[in-house]
Amino acid sequence: MDAGNQTGVLEFLLLGLSEDLEWQPLLFGLFLSMYLVSVLGNLLIILAVSSDSRLHTAMYFFLSHLSFSDICFNSTIVPKMLVNIQTASKAITYGGCITQMYFYLVFLYLDHFLLTVMAYDRFVAICHPLHYMTMMNPHFCSQLALVSWSVSILVALLHSLMVLRLSFCTHTEIPHFFCELTEVLQSSCSDALSNYIVLFSVTGLLGIPPLTGILFSYSKILSSILKMSSTEGRYKAFSTCGSHLTVISLLYGTGLGVYLSSAFSSSSSKGAVASVMYTVVIPMLNPFIYSLRNRDMQGALRTFVSRSFFPL
């Protein structure tokens, strides 16, 4: 390979969702609206949880972390995409691409870990209600959150450092709207076999156990709910984990859709469109999912909004 084509690359070109100029104003308005709704919704969740003492429990502690993660996740991807659409530019610097990829991976892994921890929290709440406050004490919850953050940061750093070893040809095009890890690896001019080995190994080691934990937790939850004699009790127990189960289904469902679209379709644009769901749409929907059927959260939000914007 000609050395002149190697890592002197200064920028990547993000091809985005569509190259049709007529679609750009619509895409800009759509993604700007979803981004603002996502940030505002998740920020309200955080503020409501922190300001209402009734929500100072393990469930809402992890929910506030998830909301913060979703804000950061969205902010890692959408602003740069909006700038590129508005300026009719597709460029992102080499350093900017690596940085975006790193933070994308941090908050992607963090979302999965937090959802796993929240499944365990629901398992304890429904299957061991008498020991819930003891088992899910603040110190233990803080440790779970710290481990989730630490592992996410370290694994994302590992992937990013390994990408820095690779060489890239000039005028590198990425058929995506952000620097997604597999797309960056496919754009490399050097051998990325070790990167793929690490990627698949990490996916197996950090992906299968959380999914197994979620499935185990909900199998026990379902078993406990079916054993309840009261219909009202069953409904109340199920309603406490319905929102979380919805988010889990959306996240893993869209993740599977992205994988299948990339595995069985030669069109990278289809994978990019599918990625919109878990990078933009799901973080926007999470505040609505967790508040629409949750009376405690609705009450906390109403109290916070009334105190902040309509003080007596």
Side-chain angles (χ1 to χ4, degrees):
M1 183 80 62
D2 184 7
N5 289 334
Q6 299 296 315
T7 43
V9 62
L10 299 178
E11 63 182 22
F12 294 94
L13 298 178
L14 299 174
L15 300 185
L17 296 172
S18 173
E19 297 185 25
D20 191 339
L21 295 179
E22 295 181 357
W23 284 94
Q24 302 310 306
L26 177 61
L27 290 175
F28 180 84
L30 179 63
F31 282 101
L32 177 60
S33 300
M34 289 194 294
Y35 176 67
L36 293 177
V37 170
S38 176
V39 171
L40 179 60
N42 283 291
L43 184 60
L44 283 174
I45 293 289
I46 296 172
L47 294 175
V49 170
S50 62
S51 63
D52 194 324
S53 59
R54 294 173 300 175
L55 302 185
H56 292 175
T57 62
M59 173 183 175
Y60 297 106
F61 172 78
F62 294 123
L63 177 59
S64 62
H65 276 266
L66 181 66
S67 294
F68 179 76
S69 177
D70 283 342
I71 290 175
C72 297
F73 191 40
N74 243 333
S75 299
T76 299
I77 297 170
V78 179
K80 178 58 180 175
M81 179 173 61
L82 293 175
V83 169
N84 284 5
I85 292 176
Q86 185 67 16
T87 60
S89 170
K90 300 177 181 178
I92 182 171
T93 64
Y94 175 76
C97 186
I98 300 299
T99 302
Q100 185 186 66
M101 182 188 67
Y102 168 75
F103 284 106
Y104 156 77
L105 290 172
V106 168
F107 298 112
L108 178 64
Y109 282 119
L110 182 59
D111 271 8
H112 284 276
F113 291 141
L114 288 175
L115 289 172
T116 304
V117 171
M118 292 171 75
Y120 175 72
D121 172 72
R122 292 299 84 204
F123 160 72
V124 176
I126 294 175
C127 299
H128 304 283
L130 298 179
H131 302 285
Y132 178 73
M133 297 304 296
T134 303
M135 295 176 67
M136 301 303 295
N137 61 78
H139 179 67
F140 181 60
C141 292
S142 298
Q143 288 182 324
L144 290 176
L146 179 61
V147 170
S148 298
W149 276 94
S150 300
V151 174
S152 300
I153 290 171
L154 291 175
V155 173
L157 183 62
L158 172 62
H159 287 307
S160 301
L161 291 176
M162 293 195 67
V163 169
L164 290 176
R165 298 171 49 253
L166 302 177
S167 299
F168 295 91
C169 302
T170 55
H171 308 296
T172 301
E173 294 184 346
I174 297 178
H176 221 299
F177 58 93
F178 69 99
C179 290
E180 200 269 337
L181 176 58
T182 56
E183 295 290 348
V184 172
L185 295 181
Q186 291 174 12
S187 302
S188 172
C189 294
S190 56
D191 185 9
L193 177 61
S194 59
N195 295 72
Y196 282 110
I197 292 175
V198 171
L199 174 60
F200 294 135
S201 299
V202 168
T203 301
L205 291 174
L206 299 183
I208 295 177
L211 180 58
T212 303
I214 291 171
L215 294 175
F216 173 80
S217 296
Y218 274 103
S219 66
K220 292 295 184 180
I221 289 172
L222 181 60
S223 177
S224 296
I225 291 177
L226 292 176
K227 292 178 182 178
M228 294 179 181
S229 57
S230 169
T231 303
E232 182 180 354
R234 290 181 181 180
Y235 175 79
K236 184 177 180 180
F238 182 77
S239 65
T240 62
C241 57
S243 299
H244 178 257
L245 189 58
T246 301
V247 174
I248 287 286
S249 301
L250 285 173
L251 184 64
Y252 280 94
T254 54
L256 181 61
V258 171
Y259 171 77
L260 293 177
S261 65
S262 60
F264 297 102
S265 174
S266 58
S267 174
S268 297
S269 61
K270 292 183 178 180
V273 172
S275 298
V276 171
M277 278 297 295
Y278 74 86
T279 57
V280 182
V281 177
I282 293 179
M284 179 189 68
L285 292 178
N286 280 353
F288 298 100
I289 293 173
Y290 278 105
S291 61
L292 286 178
R293 298 182 61 185
N294 189 314
R295 294 181 180 178
D296 291 336
M297 181 58 69
Q298 290 175 2
L301 287 171
R302 282 195 296 268
T303 301
F304 174 78
V305 171
S306 62
R307 288 177 178 175
S308 302
F309 301 101
F310 306 103
L312 295 178

